[in-house]
């Protein structure tokens, strides 16, 4: 199955028509050999820069959220108004560099098991993923 067929199938499974613009979004998201993190604004800029394609923010937003709902992407909320998306949908941890606004994968082996002592009544834990916020240690700089 070629990439176009795979992208078309992903779009249809997500309840979206495989338009030319959505296929371009798939090309950026699912072609790279390595997984990557992005905001919706980042992705819009990547599409414009790499593919010389102008796609409305609404189309990018709706496509990304449909992919997230289907499990093709993972959303990592940094705070109430900042979310990143990850093309790596496996359980893993992240560093967030507050100086550069970069989200960086952190291997599960780099963090000891998290011990949850109490859960919310009537809920089950689906996953435990740690977000570690880091920033420059300016006190050591002159």
């Amino acid at each position: 199955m070629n990439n176009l067929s795979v992208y078309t199938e992903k779009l249809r499974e997500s309840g979206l028509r495989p338009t030319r613009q959505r296929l371009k979004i798939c090309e950026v998201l699912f072609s790279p050999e390595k997984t990557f993190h992005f905001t919706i604004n980042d992705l819009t800029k990547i599409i414009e820069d790499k593919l010389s394609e102008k796609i409305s923010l609404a189309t990018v937003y709706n496509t990304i959220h449909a992919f997230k709902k289907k499990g093709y992407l993972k959303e990592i909320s940094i705070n109430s108004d900042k979310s990143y998306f990850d093309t790596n949908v496996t359980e893993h941890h992240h560093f967030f560099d507050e100086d550069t606004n970069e989200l960086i994968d952190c291997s599960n082996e780099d963090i000891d098991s998290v011990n949850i002592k109490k859960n919310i009544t009537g809920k089950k834990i689906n996953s435990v993923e740690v977000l570690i916020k880091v920033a420059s240690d300016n006190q050591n700089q002159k």
Side-chain angles (χ1 to χ4, degrees):
M1 197 184 276
N2 68 21
N3 284 350
L4 191 59
S5 301
V6 172
Y7 303 157
T8 299
E9 187 65 23
K10 279 184 189 282
L11 286 163
R12 287 196 172 124
E13 287 176 358
S14 301
L16 298 171
R17 281 182 325 133
T19 63
R20 186 179 59 76
Q21 291 181 320
R22 288 185 184 128
L23 289 166
K24 292 287 185 187
I25 293 169
C26 288
E27 188 178 327
V28 171
L29 289 177
F30 305 119
S31 287
E33 299 78 47
K34 286 179 24 181
T35 59
F36 68 104
H37 307 104
F38 62 91
T39 64
I40 289 178
N41 287 333
D42 292 341
L43 185 62
T44 303
K45 183 161 176 34
I46 290 166
I47 292 166
E48 285 179 19
D49 292 348
K50 278 191 177 179
L51 304 176
S52 302
E53 188 82 28
K54 188 113 173 98
I55 299 176
S56 80
L57 197 57
T59 298
V60 174
Y61 179 92
N62 291 332
T63 303
I64 295 311
H65 281 278
F67 283 157
K68 181 192 95 170
K69 186 175 179 184
K70 190 68 182 168
Y72 295 135
L73 297 172
K74 182 187 291 192
E75 184 173 14
I76 297 99
S77 295
I78 303 302
N79 56 41
S80 62
D81 65 345
K82 182 103 173 162
S83 283
Y84 282 79
F85 293 87
D86 194 344
T87 58
N88 177 356
V89 294
T90 64
E91 281 187 27
H92 63 286
H93 310 296
H94 292 95
F95 287 106
F96 179 70
D97 186 328
E98 293 180 325
D99 297 326
T100 63
N101 285 325
E102 184 180 8
L103 192 65
I104 304 154
D105 285 341
C106 176
S107 170
N108 288 344
E109 293 77 43
D110 294 335
I111 296 179
D112 285 337
S113 178
V114 177
N115 184 16
I116 310 293
K117 295 185 181 189
K118 183 179 179 194
N119 191 12
I120 299 170
T121 306
K123 299 288 182 177
K124 73 177 182 76
I125 296 172
N126 288 334
S127 70
V128 176
E129 296 179 45
V130 177
L131 175 66
I132 305 139
K133 294 182 179 181
V134 297
S136 296
D137 184 3
N138 290 328
Q139 63 188 4
N140 291 333
Q141 296 177 358
K142 292 191 175 192

